[in-house]
Amino acid sequence: MSDKTALLLLQMGGPDSLDAVHPFLMNLFTDRDIIKIGPAFLQPFIARRIVNKRAPEVTEFYRQIGGKSPIRELTEAQGAGLQALLGDRFRSFVAMRYSRPTTIDALAAIKREGIKRVVALSLYPHYSKATTGSSVNELQRVMKEAKADFEVIYVDRFYNHPLYIKALAGKVMRGLQAFPDRNDVEIVFSAHSLPQSFIDEGDPYLAHIQETVRLVMEQVGEASHLLCFQSKASKVKWLEPSTEATIQRLAKEGKKNVLMVPLSFVSDHIETLYEIDIQYAEEAKAHGIKRFVRTESLNSDPIFLDCLADLVRTTVKA
């Protein structure tokens, strides 16, 4: 048995090829932790109809960003950086919720190395049952079915960690340097949306998002800013205002300079590379916004990796 501790990074995942788009979407739309479509026994059938309709369009989106999601490579790089900071007693593994390497793949790899202690580190800064909750449920389900005897410690949120805030604020301040006058810039925090019903039922996601914005702006200083939500995935009521509607409103108000801050994402993937960089950029230009800039994603930012390392050290000590 190894005396190492496994660092299990929990992330959403993404297709690693255009052929993988359809199965990725099926995994997503059949997960009742994130979206409930009709009765449970009917969800796979309804999901398949939805995915069959959406997959060609989504495949084209991925084609425009290089033919796949970069999230696996970016997450593995985060894991390697984190492992380097923590030292030889730790070994990094990745578990994607809707793509490979799956939770089963990751746990099998950990078992092969004889590691018993696992720090399950969610890469979703803001807790929601639809994201971290779903990944943790999957991890516990797989361990139960496999009768695995891992000792698991969970890190399920870090929306207010000082180093996370510092890293994010640093990206905002660097983004503002792309504009001649920061006082003439609208900072638009764009978080992944969530069904409003989740919040009504007590999910803390929105409160966590709002607290992150408040803390980041404390460091950025006086500047016009607002919060909106992207990536609505069904017809039910989701968090508002939407990012699309926000861009249109800012244009109508005569705003010419917009700095987009992807808030609930710690790695580049389709929501940043296509939705913001291509779709929203084109919409902004069409509505008369002259300068539309996105802050860099955290990816393997050294301050962000320090944040993750501190989370692990604190958790293991506890």
Side-chain angles (χ1 to χ4, degrees):
M1 186 177 74
S2 173
D3 62 353
K4 291 181 182 291
T5 296
L7 304 169
L8 183 58
L9 305 187
L10 306 179
Q11 181 58 284
M12 181 177 188
D16 57 9
S17 69
L18 295 180
D19 288 338
V21 171
H22 192 283
F24 169 74
L25 291 176
M26 275 300 297
N27 289 338
L28 186 68
F29 278 93
T30 53
D31 179 9
R32 288 181 70 81
D33 283 331
I34 193 170
I35 186 168
K36 292 183 179 179
I37 312 171
F41 75 96
L42 284 179
Q43 180 146 339
F45 303 98
I46 301 172
R48 185 167 297 280
R49 291 181 61 185
I50 294 171
V51 170
N52 287 344
K53 183 176 181 181
R54 289 194 179 195
E57 181 182 42
V58 176
T59 299
E60 177 56 29
F61 297 162
Y62 277 103
R63 190 187 308 278
Q64 292 185 45
I65 65 169
K68 66 173 187 175
S69 169
I71 197 167
R72 175 173 181 171
E73 292 82 359
L74 292 172
T75 306
E76 288 174 342
Q78 289 168 334
L82 179 58
Q83 183 177 311
L85 287 173
L86 292 170
D88 293 339
R89 294 188 303 110
F90 294 87
R91 175 84 163 81
S92 174
F93 301 85
V94 172
M96 298 298 189
R97 182 63 184 88
Y98 305 112
S99 62
R100 291 192 176 275
T102 65
T103 304
I104 294 174
D105 296 332
L107 290 180
I110 293 170
K111 185 176 181 180
R112 282 195 298 271
E113 297 208 10
I115 299 174
K116 291 294 185 180
R117 185 163 69 164
V118 178
V119 176
L121 174 57
S122 171
L123 291 179
Y124 303 102
H126 314 88
Y127 182 87
S128 171
K129 65 180 182 181
T131 51
T132 297
S134 178
S135 288
V136 169
N137 287 343
E138 175 70 359
L139 175 58
Q140 294 176 344
R141 182 188 67 80
V142 170
M143 288 194 300
K144 182 178 180 181
E145 289 183 357
K147 296 182 172 59
D149 58 349
F150 296 110
E151 174 195 345
V152 184
I153 308 168
Y154 296 94
V155 179
D156 65 1
R157 67 198 72 189
F158 52 91
Y159 65 96
N160 59 354
H161 191 285
L163 290 174
Y164 168 64
I165 299 301
K166 182 179 179 180
L168 200 53
K171 298 296 185 187
V172 175
M173 288 185 279
R174 279 190 287 278
L176 287 171
Q177 294 174 4
F179 300 88
D181 180 5
R182 65 174 278 167
N183 295 319
D184 191 33
V185 179
E186 193 71 34
I187 301 173
V188 177
F189 290 93
S190 185
H192 200 292
S193 196
L194 197 68
Q196 179 63 46
S197 61
F198 282 40
I199 308 303
D200 296 342
E201 293 166 2
D203 195 289
Y205 177 77
L206 178 58
H208 289 181
I209 289 284
Q210 292 169 333
E211 180 66 0
T212 294
V213 171
R214 185 187 70 80
L215 292 170
V216 167
M217 290 310 300
E218 278 186 357
Q219 294 197 18
V220 171
E222 189 66 29
S224 181
H225 65 280
L226 50 84
L227 171 64
C228 55
F229 301 91
Q230 67 182 90
S231 311
K232 176 179 177 179
S234 70
K235 293 181 179 180
V236 302
K237 182 177 176 59
W238 286 54
L239 292 173
E240 296 178 339
S242 71
T243 303
E244 299 97 317
T246 297
I247 291 170
Q248 292 174 20
R249 179 175 66 79
L250 291 174
K252 287 180 181 178
E253 293 173 357
K255 306 292 185 182
K256 299 299 181 184
N257 301 299
V258 170
L259 177 63
M260 298 294 298
V261 183
L263 187 56
S264 47
F265 317 104
V266 299
S267 305
D268 277 315
H269 55 312
I270 195 167
E271 280 85 353
T272 58
L273 300 175
Y274 178 79
E275 276 192 77
I276 295 178
D277 291 356
I278 298 176
Q279 179 186 338
Y280 297 153
E282 290 176 353
E283 291 177 7
K285 182 179 179 181
H287 288 296
I289 292 173
K290 299 299 183 184
R291 187 167 296 190
F292 184 89
V293 176
R294 173 175 67 84
T295 60
E296 295 176 346
S297 295
L298 293 175
N299 293 326
S300 290
D301 179 275
I303 300 174
F304 176 57
L305 293 183
D306 284 341
C307 167
L308 298 182
D310 184 67
L311 287 165
V312 173
R313 291 190 190 104
T314 302
T315 302
V316 170
K317 283 181 182 178

